[in-house]
Amino acid sequence: MTHARKSGTEQAWAALGGDPALLAHIGTSGPDGLLPVMDLARSAVAVCSLAAAELAARRTARPVPQVLVDAGAVATAFTSERHLRIDGRAPTSFAPLSRFWRTADGWVRTHANYPHHRARLLATLGLPTDTSDDIAVDTVAASFAGRRGPEIERTVYAAGGLAVVARTPGEWAADPRGAAVAGTPLVARDRIDSAPVRRTAALAGEPLLPAAGLRVLDLARVIAGPVATRTLALLGADVLRIDAPQLPESQDAHSDTGFGKRSVELDLGSRSGAAAFDELLAGADVVVVGYRPGAVERFGLTPESLAARRPGLVIGRLSAWGHGPWAQRRGFDSLVQVATGIASVEAAAGPENPPGALPAQALDHGTGYLLAAAVLRALTEQHDDGGSRLVTLSLARTAAWLLDELPARQEPGAGAGGSYDPEKWLTETDSPLGRLRHALPPVAFDGSPADWSRPPGPLGADATAWLTA
């Protein structure tokens, strides 16, 4: 006898350790086919909303609110960076050297949005940093066309750049790098110690803000981690983003994922920066780390060290590749799509066509909402049973969920009942950066906030302190 595969929402909620009876609180609306990854997207938002509703119920001593998952809101939020406008200007998503390249034996994709990654890629070809984009593109294309993909991958990564060979799902599954990820949980959940329960004040009033009074240190960049902390900020948390002054970051990216947050720069390698971080940690409830493994640990910020210094802490940890030989490598959504075979599945027919890409950076967004859900569930568990908690996710593991475990994908527009117009789920907000058009949050339950309480501001412009003593 065969058993029907569980829905994505059931799978994700089980991975989060949630009570299956609470799934009855989820209601959905809207068509299925707005994105070909709609099951992943809707499932990730649904469990995040349910985890928020569950925590709200704990802190109000009321029944769990009904969760509302709107397909249009989800589809718009999963492409939020594409809808963003800053005084009418659309931000640039990918730099000229972030693209596919033909090789002697297939395709590779590079990522060079950050100046230091661009410089390292050019250095492998003997080109100076100030090489124009036109010359750089022609030189890279000519060089890569005569070389094999694995050699390019090794050379560029050895120089600190990013290049990944396009593989099929079968090739990734047979590779030690893919096999190492496949056997891991979608959400790894660990209790680090036996710290006592830490209960915050009861909630009252509307909207319901289940994370009100909680403080979150946000050590994350690009999309996935910032989406998670943007969601915690929506739910009432005081989120303080920390960036290293020596690492360039995209203000445009922060204009999308910085809603609800404040932002500071701290050099954790300096005595003053480490002391400032220690002072913030002493008042934190959550730390979210979105850097590759080893990047912050070299400053002594292991989960065990953080929990020892702040018992009862919830730590959310995110990486590109998860476990195995590539665990400590840099990575981004586009590169994980290429390595795991998603890009080959999305390719247009024909041997001369390059690999494709999902119509949304769904690994980033999906993992971001799952990470927020995992943090919220860990807060509920800490509220009930104490203990410092660690939750760990990776883009590569989310890719395996999409490729191997979720029900079959629908094509865009299937069952949509007409074209999809995102305008209903967009709004405009004045900010220190100008007039922002942005996607509304998709996380919703009875009494939830409709929008963030504050717009993003300039990176690094805020005080290195919590909002309340």
Side-chain angles (χ1 to χ4, degrees), residues 260-274:
K261 308 178 193 178
R262 294 175 301 120
S263 166
V264 301
E265 289 186 343
L266 282 182
D267 181 358
L268 299 180
S270 71
R271 182 175 298 179
S272 61

Side-chain angles (χ1 to χ4, degrees), residues 40-77:
L40 180 151
R42 185 149 51 186
S43 298
V45 171
V47 296
C48 186
S49 301
L50 185 56
E54 179 188 32
L55 182 58
R58 283 293 194 284
R59 296 189 63 193
T60 57
R62 299 194 310 213
V64 174
Q66 185 73 11
V67 166
L68 313 168
V69 185
D70 185 285
V74 171
T76 306

